[in-house]
Amino acid sequence: MPNQLKSLSKGLNVYRFIIDYGKPILAVTLCEKLNIDKSTMSRILKTLKEEDFISYLENSNEIIANDLSNKTNQSTKIELLIKATKFLLEEISSKTNECAYLGIFDDYKISYINQIDLSNQKLKTRNNIGIKTNLHTSALGKSILAFGNYDLEKIKFNQYTTNTITDIKTLNNELSMIKNRGFAIDNKEYQDRMSCVAVPLFNKENILIGAVGISGNSSRLKDNKLNEIGELISDIVSKYSIVY
């Protein structure tokens, strides 16, 4: 059996055992019951948690299985949001001549769930769908933080470039500025040669549901251009009533 299939089989066996156990269980107990070494079990549990199949009880090392119906419902909601914003992303990409993105808050990360590129740029942006990045490093993430209600203490201020925000005070100042102007900018804060602009996205009930924006090469997205695009995207989004 190929190694990938063996790993998948082990992971499924662990997940099934957690479900059948019927109560919170420790990793050491799983190792004993399933005869799996600690390092392998650690990798399996890390993957199951990242994919939202398991959780740890608060302030403990006890593991429980998540309700997969919630996972299915979340997938359905994401599909509906993608459909509801398709034309919005197309218009943003067309009018900015850059790649347009849709992102949502996901456990103190920004998750890229869709992108549309109608630009005529020779070098196209890579496919970012499914990628998760830190909130403080992206325009999508910062626009969500600015207009949402989140605990900034939970953010891990990893540094990626010399422009990356690395502390809460600086981030708070940035979020205040974003609230005032209505859009967020990532000026080479995650990648040295990439800049982004994003605005928060609300549904028709005025509930924050995500963010939309663009990214492109910093050589053509100078400060004035970034601000110009931010205002343009804000105007575009204001015309849409998102039913979601």
Side-chain angles (χ1 to χ4, degrees), residues 6-59:
K6 287 181 180 179
S7 297
L8 175 60
S9 178
K10 280 187 177 180
L12 290 173
N13 285 337
V14 170
Y15 180 63
R16 279 195 292 264
F17 191 92
I18 293 171
I19 293 174
D20 294 340
Y21 198 68
K23 59 181 180 179
I25 188 170
L26 294 171
V28 64
T29 306
L30 287 169
C31 290
E32 293 170 356
K33 298 287 187 181
L34 298 173
N35 194 28
I36 297 175
D37 63 83
K38 290 182 179 180
S39 61
T40 301
M41 182 61 71
S42 178
R43 290 195 299 271
I44 290 172
L45 294 176
K46 182 175 184 293
T47 300
L48 289 175
K49 186 176 186 303
E50 287 176 347
E51 295 300 323
D52 203 29
F53 285 99
I54 63 169
S55 297
Y56 287 87
L57 292 180
E58 189 173 0
N59 298 322

